[in-house]
Amino acid sequence: MEKNVRKKVRIENEKKYLISRLKIIEGQIKGVMKMVEEDRYCSDILIQISAINNSLKGIGSEILKQHLKTCVSDEIKKDNLEIIDEVMNLIKRLS
């Protein structure tokens, strides 16, 4: 049984955009796996890993922006200022 699972309903365009970006990242990861299988040169693999990291940071920033605009904003409007501590902890974990 899942405990305390929070959900966020996303509009269809946002969801499609995020899924599209994640599929691209999935393809990048599969590409790196193939490079390892083919014994490609270390620096070539590391460059691709760096590109994946940048892609993940980009999608993470987009999700964080939407989180602030929607979830956090809604909680502040409800006078739930504890959300600020949650966001600060989240930002700390992301950096």
Side-chain angles (χ1 to χ4, degrees), residues 10-25 55 58-63 65-66:
R10 290 178 172 80
I11 59 172
E12 199 59 33
N13 286 347
E14 178 187 3
K15 191 180 288 190
K16 283 181 182 179
Y17 172 76
L18 293 173
I19 289 171
S20 172
R21 295 271 311 262
L22 288 167
K23 285 182 179 183
I24 291 169
I25 294 167
S55 296
I59 195 168
S61 292
E62 183 63 32
I63 292 172
K65 179 174 78 174
Q66 291 304 317

Side-chain angles (χ1 to χ4, degrees), residues 27-72:
Q28 290 175 305
I29 292 170
K30 286 179 180 179
V32 169
M33 288 186 337
K34 185 174 181 185
M35 292 174 80
V36 170
E37 289 169 352
E38 295 174 351
D39 296 323
R40 295 280 298 273
Y41 193 62
C42 299
S43 65
D44 294 339
I45 295 171
L46 290 169
I47 289 169
Q48 291 306 309
I49 290 172
S50 175
I52 294 167
N53 281 331
N54 289 334
S55 296
L56 285 169
K57 286 179 186 177
I59 195 168
S61 292
E62 183 63 32
I63 292 172
L64 177 59
K65 179 174 78 174
Q66 291 304 317
H67 180 57
L68 293 171
K69 286 182 174 182
T70 57
C71 305
V72 174

